[in-house]
Amino acid sequence: MGTSLEWYDFFLFGATASIVFAPLFFGGEDPALAVLRIVQGMAVGGEWGGATLLAVENAPEHKRGFSSAVVQLGSPTGTILSSMIVAAVVALSGERFLEGAWRIPYLISIALVAVGVWIRLKIDETDVCKQAEAARSATPHEKQSAPVPDTLRAAPGRLIVGIGTYLFGNAGFFVLTTFMISYVTKQLGLPSTVILTAIA
C-alpha cells in the first residue's frame, strides 16, 4: 500500500507538472519546477526498502522471494492509478480541469495517505528485527561493520555495473511516463487523455 501510494504521488506530480503546473505556476524558463522534481526524485523509493524488509522478514523462509516481488508491484500500481485518475478527471471536468479540478487526484492522495498511516500504525516490528535489536543490546561494545563501505571495498565493479543497469532500465521508463506527457500535449497538441490512457 505504502509503496503504491509513494509512486502514485511521484507519477501524479510528473503527469500534472507538464499539463497543470508549468502553464499555471511556472511560466517561461523558471527553473523552480525542475528543482522540485529533482528533490522529489531523490526522495522517491524511501518507502520501498522498508516495505521490502517488512515483506521478507514476515514471510515464511520458502516464500521470501515471492513476498519481496509483491512489493515491486508498487511502482506500476502507482503509475496506473495516477494515469487513470488524472485521465478520468480531465475527461470528466473538461475546461474546468485547469480551473481547479486538477486538485482532485491530490485530494484522493490525502485519503490514501490516511489509510496508509493507519495501516502502518497497526504494524509491529518483525521478529527478525526484534532479535537483531536484542543481539545488539546483549553485546553493546561489539563493533558493527558498515555495509556500504564493505560493499564498496568488496565489489566496486559489480556495484557500478548494477547501478548502471538499473539506471539504464529506469531511464526509458521515466522518459515514457513523464516526458512523453509533455511532448504529446505540447509538441503534438493532442489531449492529455491520449497519453495518460496510453501509459495506463
Side-chain angles (χ1 to χ4, degrees), residues 55-70:
V56 169
E57 291 179 359
N58 278 312
E61 193 167 338
H62 66 285
K63 291 193 175 181
R64 287 184 173 169
F66 176 79
S67 296
S68 66
V70 170

Side-chain angles (χ1 to χ4, degrees), residues 147-159:
V148 173
D150 288 349
T151 303
L152 290 171
R153 278 191 298 273
R158 284 183 284 172
L159 183 63

Side-chain angles (χ1 to χ4, degrees), residues 3-21:
T3 305
S4 299
L5 174 60
E6 177 181 39
W7 289 99
Y8 170 86
D9 285 338
F10 184 75
F11 293 118
L12 176 61
F13 184 84
T16 54
S18 59
I19 58 179
V20 177
F21 300 150

Side-chain angles (χ1 to χ4, degrees), residues 18-71:
S18 59
I19 58 179
V20 177
F21 300 150
L24 289 184
F25 303 112
F26 301 102
E29 299 297 320
D30 191 332
L33 188 60
V35 171
L36 290 173
R37 188 63 172 168
I38 289 168
V39 170
Q40 187 188 30
M42 289 189 296
V44 75
E47 168 72 16
W48 206 337
T52 302
L53 278 175
L54 276 174
V56 169
E57 291 179 359
N58 278 312
E61 193 167 338
H62 66 285
K63 291 193 175 181
R64 287 184 173 169
F66 176 79
S67 296
S68 66
V70 170
V71 177

